[in-house]
Amino acid sequence: MIRIINNMKIVRNRKDLINYLNNIRINNQVGLVPTMGSIHQGHLSLINQSVKNKYITCVSIFINPTQFNRTSDFKSYPRSEKKDLKLLKKSGCDIVFIPSTKDMYPKKIKIKKIVKKYRNILCDNFRPGHFDGVVTIVNKLLYIFIPDFVFFGEKDYQQLKIIEELIKIKKINTKVVNCKSIRDNFGMSISSRYNLFNKNQKIKFEKISNIILGFVKKIKNGKKFNIERNLCIKKLKDNGVKKIDYVEIRNNKTMSKSKLTKNSRLFVAFYLDNIRVIDNYLL
Ligand code: PAF
């Protein structure tokens, strides 16, 4: 069954979606924004790019169990369907797809290792199986929607590179549109996980953001990376960051480690209490 609110269709099952899209795709191009919900400004900017181009704009909301390497993380992931639908209605999105786990994984919850490039670095070293889960679900979504364009934010840069590789390997006829990060007032890329911050953590996060932004500025101004990195790590620890997964510069294209700032990005991942924060900055 398809529910329609303000011209936005809410579809909860894959068969209905495929039937509906098949009828309208003949005269239109389809844009897909895959999400796990908790819609924020970052998602809205991706949706806006699709709407602006007059594509049939589709948003999927599915909290994909196979990409969480800890059950507790999956269980505590923010869920806010009502609020999401309100925001999506205003965004100009045409179709929201909210499938059940059974619909996305009808046989067994199984993950496939499809992409091997851009692996064993950054988040892959700290979240085993995460990218196989992401690739498995994005692959399924691409086969369901067959979108002309799929939109991803640069905040999850490694994910973006891995999805580009998936599309190349599988020869999928979809163009990846990578979109700049949307940053909060402190300069950090907006993330759904920040909905989990309590008041105290928000205050801590502001201080931490200042430290990171200060560090990025110094690197951009040509200061020595290793020295500044150590200083930054010390400051983060002094301000309550207990676990830092990585602080690295990597080449924008190849993702190999680099010291040069040309064509490079600084990648960071750390925990504020039990909430994981990742971000990257073009240098
Ligand atoms: O970036 C995300 O929100 C997720 O990894 C994605 C791409 C929607 C797959 O579940």
Side-chain angles (χ1 to χ4, degrees), residues 144-168:
I144 295 173
F145 281 89
I146 323 176
D148 298 280
F149 301 93
V150 65
F151 296 80
F152 286 100
E154 286 184 347
K155 175 188 160 273
D156 298 302
Y157 199 77
Q158 190 176 9
Q159 166 173 285
L160 176 67
K161 299 291 283 181
I162 288 176
I163 302 292
E164 279 176 348
E165 187 63 15
L166 163 74
I167 288 178
K168 202 166 129 195

Side-chain angles (χ1 to χ4, degrees), residues 33-37 40 43 60-68 77 105 127 130-131 133-138 141 150-153 155-156 159 163 192:
V33 180
T35 81
M36 297 207 296
H40 53 63
H43 298 123
S60 62
I61 299 183
F62 180 65
I63 304 181
N64 173 34
T66 63
Q67 69 185 78
F68 290 85
Y77 197 84
Y105 293 97
R127 302 189 68 193
H130 164 70
F131 286 118
V134 170
V135 163
T136 303
I137 198 67
V138 172
L141 290 169
V150 65
F151 296 80
F152 286 100
K155 175 188 160 273
D156 298 302
Q159 166 173 285
I163 302 292
S192 300

Side-chain angles (χ1 to χ4, degrees), residues 14 22 29 134 154 160 195 225-226 229 234 249 278:
R14 146 204 314 239
N22 279 349
Q29 287 187 301
V134 170
E154 286 184 347
L160 176 67
N195 287 327
F225 175 66
N226 281 341
R229 179 181 183 271
K234 187 182 177 311
I249 296 180
I278 69 165

